[in-house]
Amino acid sequence: MPIATVNPANGETLRTYEAMGEEEIERRLRLAEATFRTYRTTGFDERARLLRQAADLLEKDQHDLGRLITTEMGKPVKQARAEVAKCAKAMRWYAEHAADLLADEQPGDADVRDSGASRVRVRHRPLGPVLAVMPWNFPLWQVIRFAAPALMAGNVGLLKHASNVPQTALYLEDLLHRAGFPEGCFQTLLIGSAAVDDILRDERVKAATLTGSEPAGRAVASTAGEMIKKTVLELGGSDPFVVMPSADLDRAAEVAVTARVQNTGQSCIAAKRFIVHTDVYDAFAERFVAGMKALRVGDPLDEDTDVGPLSSEQGRDDLEELVDDAVRAGAELLCGGERPDGPGWYYPPTVLAGITREMRIHREEAFGPVATLYRAADLDEAVLIANDTPFGLSSNVWTRDDAEVDRFVRDLEAGSVYVNGMTASHPAFPFGGVKRSGYGRELSGHGIREFCNITTVWHGA
């Protein structure tokens, strides 16, 4: 697969790069190992100073970087700039909180005495070089939410980014170097997917994190398991958006549109399945479809664009196949469903109703601006439909009934439950899923401790 920037808005190839050879990969692995030996001994104050400098540089680059992201993967430029700002925020959050999150823990006095010790502490030590295999859909955010906590913990990073965002990948390495991090603290590997296995098997690489597809997750987890290495996986999602009779329908429908088409619908945590109580189904559907029809599709560099092109021609083909399969099987097309003429990999905001379990779109993730509507007779059926998926990343629930909230929180199979709001990631809150959406957590204290050696230090009497 070529490593190239191809503008999704017109299919034009803007930049191409040669994949790194074995000699260069070896040089970078040696550098990562050597840098870790010294970087791991730096204090939190020094790491925080460097990370804050990187955040400052990131904000200065926001305008140009937003345009770069848009030309590489197609998201509307105003969303690209928001992604840059979010990354700077996360970097500053970890710079401020890492020392407290990784402070030594002191077991209770009674337990210390019972162990025969005079003193016991639990220390969080870095593991070493961590390989990050990252996707194109949030090409900056997905990397920073790994890199910021990993670097603050004293680890060093090796990035294998998606092959269609090489300029963003190279920018990240340059950013952290300009901020003052030692050269080997964070390195981009311009390589194809086939090279990942050998790198993960290298003894100098201590752990891996992957955000991406289910097959990619299986491959990385299999190799890491064979090598007895820690992994964190964030894979696909087909998040439910449940609307109950007590919900504010106007607000729910407005948020539902944003939740489905954020990043042109190419987001693991985008709401994809809209499960509506039968008492309010027609009213919600009318509002939701009207909102989807009103979206402006067009040039992602245009400030007024709501929905840009999909990231690749193959991505559009895959999405179109899911929609066509559903329509052939009897789904009702409420809007959209036909690719427009002209250049670029555009697909219109689309809503399907009458979904059955036999349709592919019921069990597969729709990665694009396509929503499915389900009618639920009651709360029990809503939970049943919501959980009838191999994924379990996040979920959205709209209700003003506290008893219903308790039921959904108890019974939904997902890593997050957002009540009367849209799923979003925040540096202070753990992020991750269950079932085929992966395992482990990113962000918060849980995320920074994923790649730490949690060490018991016992002192005799």
Side-chain angles (χ1 to χ4, degrees):
M1 180 178 182
I3 298 176
T5 295
V6 181
N7 189 340
N10 55 27
E12 179 185 355
T13 299
L14 303 177
R15 294 286 300 273
T16 58
Y17 299 85
E18 291 293 328
M20 291 177 179
E22 292 182 6
E23 189 174 305
E24 177 62 11
I25 293 171
E26 172 59 24
R27 186 188 73 81
R28 288 177 176 252
L29 288 172
R30 284 199 309 268
L31 179 59
E33 182 184 44
T35 302
F36 173 67
R37 293 195 197 105
T38 54
Y39 181 70
R40 66 189 295 274
T41 66
T42 59
F44 285 111
D45 287 347
E46 173 62 7
R47 297 172 198 167
R49 182 185 69 83
L50 296 172
L51 199 59
R52 288 191 181 100
Q53 288 181 176
D56 291 343
L57 291 170
L58 192 63
E59 287 181 333
K60 290 179 182 177
D61 295 342
Q62 184 177 23
H63 178 79
D64 291 341
L65 183 56
R67 291 181 65 87
L68 172 62
I69 290 171
T70 295
T71 56
E72 286 213 298
M73 54 70 60
K75 72 173 61 187
V77 70
K78 57 188 175 183
Q79 296 180 26
R81 290 197 302 268
E83 181 177 344
V84 176
K86 184 174 184 175
C87 290
K89 175 181 177 179
M91 294 162 96
R92 293 197 176 98
W93 190 90
Y94 272 108
E96 179 180 353
H97 295 286
D100 291 334
L101 295 172
L102 297 180
D104 288 357
E105 298 174 12
Q106 309 291 334
D109 291 343
D111 292 325
V112 171
R113 289 193 299 270
D114 184 61
S115 75
S118 62
R119 183 162 61 104
V120 177
R121 55 194 165 130
V122 177
R123 172 158 290 186
H124 301 88
R125 298 187 293 160
L127 292 179
V130 180
L131 174 65
V133 182
M134 293 289 114
W136 48 262
N137 57 339
F138 291 92
L140 205 70
W141 171 242
Q142 301 282 12
V143 179
I144 291 299
R145 74 184 192 186
F146 148 74
L151 291 168
M152 284 304 302
N155 296 300
V156 301
L158 294 162
L159 171 64
K160 189 283 181 222
H161 216 325
S163 293
N164 61 330
V165 289
Q167 293 184 81
T168 304
L170 292 169
Y171 169 85
L172 284 159
E173 179 179 317
D174 180 64
L175 169 72
L176 293 168
H177 185 63
R178 284 189 288 138
F181 282 94
E183 184 183 2
C185 268
F186 186 90
Q187 300 179 82
T188 286
L189 305 178
L190 284 184
I191 56 175
S193 298
V196 169
D197 189 74
D198 285 343
I199 294 170
L200 187 52
R201 290 179 184 277
D202 193 290
E203 292 293 342
R204 291 166 292 192
V205 175
K206 302 304 181 185
T209 179
L210 177 142
T211 299
S213 69
E214 213 178 315
R218 284 198 190 97
V220 165
S222 176
T223 298
E226 183 181 341
M227 301 303 295
I228 319 297
K229 294 182 181 181
K230 176 69 178 289
T231 53
V232 170
L233 302 181
E234 193 263 278
L235 309 178
S238 191
D239 291 1
F241 189 106
V242 182
V243 182
M244 299 299 287
S246 64
D248 178 341
L249 290 187
D250 288 332
R251 180 62 180 156
E254 179 185 3
V255 172
V257 172
T258 303
R260 177 64 285 236
V261 301
Q262 60 173 315
N263 207 42
T264 310
Q266 299 168 115
S267 171
C268 295
I269 58 169
K272 298 182 176 77
R273 298 175 299 128
F274 297 82
I275 303 161
V276 187
H277 191 285
T278 188
D279 291 352
V280 292
Y281 178 91
D282 291 336
F284 175 84
E286 180 181 5
R287 291 166 170 81
F288 180 54
V289 172
M292 293 286 277
K293 286 181 176 179
L295 293 169
R296 179 171 177 176
V297 181
D299 180 358
L301 290 174
D302 187 328
E303 295 288 342
D304 295 326
T305 291
D306 299 307
V307 178
L310 297 183
S311 70
S312 68
E313 186 173 19
Q314 185 62 56
R316 182 175 68 175
D317 290 346
D318 292 345
L319 187 67
E320 192 171 44
E321 286 177 11
L322 287 180
V323 172
D324 291 348
D325 171 80
V327 171
R328 285 194 300 270
E332 182 182 2
L333 192 63
L334 301 184
C335 69
E338 292 186 11
R339 71 162 72 180
D341 295 329
W345 301 313
Y346 292 92
Y347 197 81
T350 298
V351 181
L352 294 166
I355 305 300
T356 65
R357 299 187 81 249
E358 292 71 30
M359 297 172 185
R360 288 177 54 201
I361 202 166
H362 176 76
R363 60 185 184 275
E364 298 179 28
E365 181 179 19
F367 221 59
V370 174
T372 52
L373 271 173
Y374 295 78
R375 186 189 297 265
D378 52 28
L379 185 149
D380 290 334
E381 187 175 20
V383 170
L384 186 67
I385 297 170
N387 289 339
D388 189 22
T389 173
F391 302 107
L393 193 53
S394 188
S395 58
N396 309 259
V397 174
W398 288 76
T399 176
R400 293 167 174 169
D401 186 319
D402 289 341
E404 289 181 349
V405 171
D406 289 343
R407 273 288 311 279
F408 283 120
V409 171
R410 186 192 75 183
D411 292 343
L412 287 178
E413 297 167 352
S416 304
V417 180
Y418 278 69
V419 181
N420 297 327
M422 185 181 87
T423 295
S425 52
H426 185 283
F429 308 141
F431 180 85
V434 294
K435 303 197 294 189
R436 293 187 187 175
S437 288
Y439 53 74
R441 290 295 180 266
E442 297 178 291
L443 303 176
S444 76
H446 297 277
I448 198 171
R449 289 188 284 269
E450 286 281 9
F451 296 117
C452 286
N453 176 1
I454 302 173
T455 309
T456 297
V457 183
W458 187 96
H459 296 261

Coordinates of all heavy atoms in Angstrom, one line a residue, residues 217-276:
G217 N -6.7 -5.3 15.0 CA -6.6 -5.5 16.5 C -6.3 -7.0 16.8 O -5.5 -7.3 17.7
R218 N -6.9 -7.9 16.0 CA -6.7 -9.3 16.2 C -5.2 -9.6 15.9 O -4.6 -10.4 16.7 CB -7.5 -10.1 15.3 CG -9.0 -10.3 15.8 CD -9.7 -11.4 15.1 NE -11.1 -11.4 15.3 CZ -12.0 -10.9 14.5 NH1 -11.6 -10.4 13.3 NH2 -13.3 -11.0 14.8
A219 N -4.7 -9.0 14.9 CA -3.3 -9.3 14.5 C -2.3 -8.9 15.5 O -1.4 -9.6 15.9 CB -3.0 -8.7 13.1
V220 N -2.5 -7.6 16.0 CA -1.6 -7.1 17.0 C -1.7 -7.8 18.3 O -0.7 -8.2 19.0 CB -1.8 -5.6 17.2 CG1 -1.2 -5.1 18.5 CG2 -1.3 -4.8 16.0
A221 N -3.0 -8.1 18.7 CA -3.2 -8.8 20.0 C -2.6 -10.2 19.9 O -2.0 -10.7 20.9 CB -4.6 -8.9 20.3
S222 N -2.7 -10.9 18.7 CA -2.1 -12.2 18.6 C -0.6 -12.3 18.8 O 0.0 -13.1 19.5 CB -2.5 -12.8 17.2 OG -2.0 -14.1 17.0
T223 N 0.1 -11.4 18.1 CA 1.5 -11.3 18.2 C 1.9 -10.9 19.6 O 2.9 -11.5 20.1 CB 2.1 -10.3 17.1 OG1 1.8 -10.8 15.8 CG2 3.6 -10.2 17.3
A224 N 1.3 -9.9 20.1 CA 1.7 -9.4 21.5 C 1.4 -10.5 22.5 O 2.2 -10.7 23.4 CB 0.8 -8.2 21.8
G225 N 0.4 -11.3 22.3 CA 0.1 -12.4 23.2 C 1.2 -13.5 23.1 O 1.7 -14.0 24.2
E226 N 1.6 -13.8 21.9 CA 2.7 -14.7 21.7 C 4.0 -14.3 22.4 O 4.7 -15.1 22.9 CB 2.9 -14.9 20.2 CG 3.9 -16.0 19.9 CD 4.1 -16.1 18.4 OE1 3.2 -15.7 17.6 OE2 5.2 -16.7 18.0
M227 N 4.2 -12.9 22.3 CA 5.5 -12.4 22.9 C 5.3 -11.9 24.3 O 6.2 -11.4 24.9 CB 5.9 -11.1 22.0 CG 6.1 -11.4 20.6 SD 7.4 -12.7 20.3 CE 8.8 -11.9 20.9
I228 N 4.1 -12.1 24.9 CA 3.8 -11.8 26.3 C 4.1 -10.3 26.5 O 4.8 -9.8 27.4 CB 4.6 -12.6 27.3 CG1 4.7 -14.0 26.9 CG2 3.9 -12.5 28.7 CD1 3.4 -14.8 26.9
K229 N 3.4 -9.5 25.7 CA 3.5 -8.0 25.8 C 2.1 -7.4 26.0 O 1.1 -7.8 25.4 CB 4.1 -7.4 24.5 CG 5.6 -7.9 24.3 CD 6.2 -7.2 23.1 CE 7.7 -7.7 22.9 NZ 8.3 -7.0 21.7
K230 N 2.1 -6.3 26.8 CA 0.9 -5.6 27.1 C 0.3 -4.9 25.9 O 1.1 -4.3 25.1 CB 1.1 -4.6 28.2 CG 0.0 -3.7 28.6 CD -1.1 -4.5 29.3 CE -2.3 -3.6 29.7 NZ -1.9 -2.7 30.8
T231 N -1.0 -4.9 25.7 CA -1.6 -4.2 24.6 C -2.9 -3.5 25.1 O -3.5 -3.9 26.1 CB -2.1 -5.1 23.4 OG1 -2.8 -6.2 23.9 CG2 -0.8 -5.6 22.7
V232 N -3.2 -2.4 24.5 CA -4.5 -1.7 24.7 C -5.1 -1.6 23.3 O -4.4 -1.2 22.3 CB -4.3 -0.3 25.3 CG1 -5.6 0.5 25.2 CG2 -3.8 -0.4 26.7
L233 N -6.3 -2.0 23.1 CA -7.0 -2.0 21.8 C -8.3 -1.2 21.9 O -9.1 -1.4 22.8 CB -7.4 -3.4 21.4 CG -6.2 -4.5 21.3 CD1 -6.8 -5.8 20.8 CD2 -5.2 -4.0 20.3
E234 N -8.4 -0.3 21.0 CA -9.7 0.5 20.8 C -10.1 0.2 19.3 O -9.5 0.7 18.4 CB -9.5 1.9 21.1 CG -10.8 2.7 21.2 CD -11.3 3.4 20.0 OE1 -10.8 4.5 19.7 OE2 -12.1 2.8 19.2
L235 N -11.1 -0.6 19.2 CA -11.5 -1.1 17.9 C -12.8 -0.4 17.4 O -13.1 0.7 17.7 CB -11.6 -2.6 17.8 CG -10.3 -3.3 18.4 CD1 -10.5 -4.8 18.4 CD2 -9.1 -2.9 17.6
G236 N -13.7 -1.1 16.7 CA -14.9 -0.5 16.2 C -15.9 -0.2 17.2 O -15.9 -0.6 18.3
G237 N -17.0 0.4 16.7 CA -18.1 0.7 17.5 C -19.4 0.9 16.7 O -19.3 1.3 15.5
S238 N -20.5 0.5 17.2 CA -21.8 0.7 16.6 C -22.7 1.2 17.7 O -23.7 0.5 18.1 CB -22.3 -0.6 16.0 OG -23.4 -0.3 15.1
D239 N -22.5 2.4 18.1 CA -23.1 2.9 19.4 C -24.6 3.1 19.2 O -25.0 3.7 18.3 CB -22.4 4.2 19.8 CG -21.0 4.0 20.3 OD1 -20.5 2.9 20.2 OD2 -20.3 5.0 20.7
P240 N -25.3 2.7 20.3 CA -26.8 3.0 20.3 C -27.0 4.4 20.8 O -26.3 5.0 21.6 CB -27.3 1.9 21.3 CG -26.2 1.7 22.2 CD -24.9 1.9 21.4
F241 N -28.1 5.0 20.3 CA -28.6 6.3 20.7 C -30.1 6.1 21.0 O -30.9 6.0 20.1 CB -28.4 7.3 19.6 CG -28.7 8.7 19.9 CD1 -27.6 9.6 20.1 CD2 -30.0 9.2 20.1 CE1 -27.8 11.0 20.4 CE2 -30.2 10.6 20.3 CZ -29.1 11.4 20.5
V242 N -30.4 5.9 22.3 CA -31.7 5.5 22.7 C -32.6 6.7 23.2 O -32.1 7.5 23.9 CB -31.7 4.5 23.9 CG1 -33.1 4.0 24.3 CG2 -30.8 3.3 23.6
V243 N -33.8 6.8 22.6 CA -34.7 7.9 23.0 C -35.9 7.4 23.6 O -36.7 6.6 23.0 CB -35.0 8.7 21.7 CG1 -35.9 9.9 22.0 CG2 -33.7 9.2 21.0
M244 N -36.2 7.8 24.8 CA -37.4 7.4 25.5 C -38.4 8.5 25.6 O -38.1 9.7 25.2 CB -37.0 7.0 27.0 CG -36.0 5.8 27.0 SD -36.7 4.3 26.3 CE -37.9 3.8 27.6
P245 N -39.7 8.2 25.9 CA -40.8 9.2 25.8 C -40.6 10.5 26.6 O -41.1 11.5 26.2 CB -42.0 8.4 26.3 CG -41.7 7.0 26.0 CD -40.2 6.9 26.3
S246 N -39.8 10.4 27.7 CA -39.6 11.7 28.5 C -38.6 12.6 28.0 O -38.3 13.7 28.5 CB -39.3 11.3 29.9 OG -38.1 10.6 30.0
A247 N -37.9 12.2 26.9 CA -36.8 13.0 26.4 C -37.2 14.3 25.8 O -38.4 14.4 25.3 CB -36.0 12.2 25.3
D248 N -36.4 15.3 25.8 CA -36.6 16.5 25.0 C -36.3 16.2 23.6 O -35.1 16.1 23.1 CB -35.6 17.6 25.5 CG -35.7 18.9 24.8 OD1 -36.2 18.9 23.6 OD2 -35.2 19.9 25.3
L249 N -37.4 16.0 22.8 CA -37.2 15.5 21.4 C -36.5 16.4 20.5 O -35.7 16.0 19.7 CB -38.6 15.1 20.8 CG -39.3 13.9 21.4 CD1 -40.5 13.6 20.6 CD2 -38.4 12.7 21.4
D250 N -36.7 17.7 20.7 CA -36.1 18.7 19.8 C -34.5 18.6 20.0 O -33.8 18.6 19.1 CB -36.6 20.1 20.1 CG -38.0 20.3 19.6 OD1 -38.4 19.6 18.6 OD2 -38.7 21.1 20.1
R251 N -34.2 18.6 21.3 CA -32.7 18.6 21.6 C -32.1 17.2 21.2 O -31.0 17.2 20.7 CB -32.5 18.9 23.1 CG -31.1 18.8 23.6 CD -30.3 19.9 22.9 NE -28.9 19.9 23.3 CZ -27.9 20.4 22.6 NH1 -28.1 20.9 21.5 NH2 -26.6 20.3 23.1
A252 N -32.8 16.2 21.5 CA -32.3 14.8 21.2 C -32.1 14.7 19.7 O -31.1 14.2 19.2 CB -33.3 13.8 21.7
A253 N -33.0 15.2 18.9 CA -32.9 15.0 17.4 C -31.7 15.9 16.9 O -31.0 15.5 16.0 CB -34.2 15.4 16.7
E254 N -31.6 17.1 17.5 CA -30.5 18.0 17.1 C -29.1 17.4 17.4 O -28.2 17.4 16.5 CB -30.6 19.3 17.8 CG -29.5 20.3 17.5 CD -29.6 21.6 18.3 OE1 -30.5 21.7 19.2 OE2 -28.8 22.5 18.1
V255 N -29.0 16.8 18.6 CA -27.7 16.2 19.0 C -27.5 14.9 18.2 O -26.4 14.6 17.8 CB -27.7 15.9 20.5 CG1 -26.5 15.1 20.9 CG2 -27.7 17.2 21.3
A256 N -28.6 14.2 17.9 CA -28.5 13.0 17.1 C -27.8 13.2 15.8 O -27.0 12.4 15.3 CB -29.9 12.3 17.0
V257 N -28.2 14.3 15.1 CA -27.6 14.6 13.8 C -26.1 14.8 13.9 O -25.3 14.2 13.2 CB -28.3 15.8 13.2 CG1 -27.5 16.3 11.9 CG2 -29.7 15.5 12.9
T258 N -25.7 15.6 14.9 CA -24.3 15.8 15.1 C -23.6 14.6 15.5 O -22.4 14.3 15.1 CB -24.1 16.9 16.2 OG1 -24.7 18.1 15.9 CG2 -22.6 17.2 16.5
A259 N -24.2 13.8 16.4 CA -23.6 12.5 16.9 C -23.4 11.5 15.7 O -22.4 10.7 15.8 CB -24.5 11.9 17.9
R260 N -24.2 11.6 14.7 CA -24.0 10.7 13.6 C -23.0 11.1 12.5 O -22.3 10.3 12.0 CB -25.4 10.4 12.9 CG -25.4 9.5 11.7 CD -24.9 8.1 12.0 NE -23.5 8.0 12.2 CZ -22.7 7.2 11.6 NH1 -23.1 6.4 10.6 NH2 -21.4 7.1 11.9
V261 N -23.0 12.4 12.3 CA -22.2 12.9 11.2 C -20.9 13.6 11.6 O -20.1 14.1 10.8 CB -23.0 13.8 10.2 CG1 -24.2 13.1 9.7 CG2 -23.3 15.1 10.9
Q262 N -20.6 13.6 12.9 CA -19.3 14.2 13.3 C -18.2 13.5 12.5 O -18.2 12.3 12.3 CB -19.1 14.0 14.8 CG -19.1 12.6 15.3 CD -18.7 12.4 16.8 OE1 -17.7 13.0 17.2 NE2 -19.5 11.6 17.5
N263 N -17.2 14.2 12.1 CA -16.1 13.6 11.3 C -16.6 12.9 10.1 O -16.1 11.9 9.7 CB -15.3 12.7 12.2 CG -13.8 12.6 11.7 OD1 -13.2 13.5 11.3 ND2 -13.3 11.4 11.7
T264 N -17.7 13.4 9.5 CA -18.4 12.8 8.3 C -18.8 11.4 8.6 O -18.8 10.5 7.8 CB -17.5 12.8 7.1 OG1 -17.0 14.2 6.9 CG2 -18.2 12.5 5.8
G265 N -19.1 11.1 9.9 CA -19.6 9.8 10.3 C -18.5 8.8 10.5 O -18.8 7.6 10.8
Q266 N -17.3 9.2 10.3 CA -16.1 8.3 10.4 C -15.5 8.3 11.8 O -14.4 8.8 12.0 CB -15.1 8.6 9.3 CG -15.7 8.5 7.9 CD -14.8 9.1 6.9 OE1 -14.3 8.4 6.0 NE2 -14.6 10.4 7.0
S267 N -16.3 7.8 12.7 CA -15.8 7.8 14.1 C -16.3 6.6 14.8 O -17.5 6.3 14.7 CB -16.3 9.1 14.8 OG -16.1 9.0 16.2
C268 N -15.5 6.0 15.6 CA -15.9 4.8 16.3 C -17.0 5.1 17.3 O -17.8 4.3 17.6 CB -14.7 4.1 17.0 SG -13.4 3.5 15.9
I269 N -16.9 6.3 17.9 CA -17.9 6.7 18.9 C -19.0 7.5 18.4 O -19.8 8.0 19.2 CB -17.2 7.4 20.1 CG1 -16.5 8.7 19.6 CG2 -16.3 6.5 20.9 CD1 -16.1 9.6 20.7
A270 N -19.1 7.6 17.1 CA -20.3 8.2 16.5 C -21.5 7.3 16.8 O -21.5 6.1 16.7 CB -20.2 8.4 15.0
A271 N -22.7 8.0 17.2 CA -23.9 7.2 17.3 C -24.3 6.7 15.9 O -24.2 7.4 14.9 CB -25.0 8.1 17.9
K272 N -24.7 5.4 15.9 CA -25.0 4.8 14.6 C -26.4 4.2 14.5 O -27.0 4.2 13.5 CB -23.9 3.8 14.2 CG -22.5 4.4 14.1 CD -21.5 3.4 13.7 CE -20.1 4.0 13.5 NZ -19.4 4.3 14.8
R273 N -26.8 3.7 15.6 CA -28.1 3.0 15.7 C -29.0 3.8 16.6 O -28.8 3.9 17.8 CB -27.9 1.6 16.2 CG -27.1 0.7 15.3 CD -26.8 -0.7 15.9 NE -26.1 -0.6 17.1 CZ -26.5 -1.2 18.2 NH1 -27.6 -1.9 18.3 NH2 -25.8 -1.1 19.3
F274 N -30.1 4.3 16.1 CA -31.0 5.2 16.8 C -32.3 4.4 17.2 O -33.1 4.0 16.3 CB -31.3 6.4 16.0 CG -30.1 7.2 15.7 CD1 -29.2 6.9 14.7 CD2 -29.8 8.3 16.5 CE1 -28.0 7.6 14.5 CE2 -28.6 9.0 16.3 CZ -27.7 8.7 15.3
I275 N -32.4 4.1 18.4 CA -33.4 3.2 19.0 C -34.4 4.0 19.7 O -34.1 4.6 20.8 CB -32.7 2.2 19.9 CG1 -31.6 1.4 19.1 CG2 -33.8 1.2 20.5 CD1 -30.6 0.7 20.0
V276 N -35.6 4.1 19.2 CA -36.6 5.1 19.7 C -37.9 4.4 20.2 O -38.4 3.5 19.5 CB -36.9 6.1 18.5 CG1 -37.8 7.2 19.1 CG2 -35.7 6.7 17.9

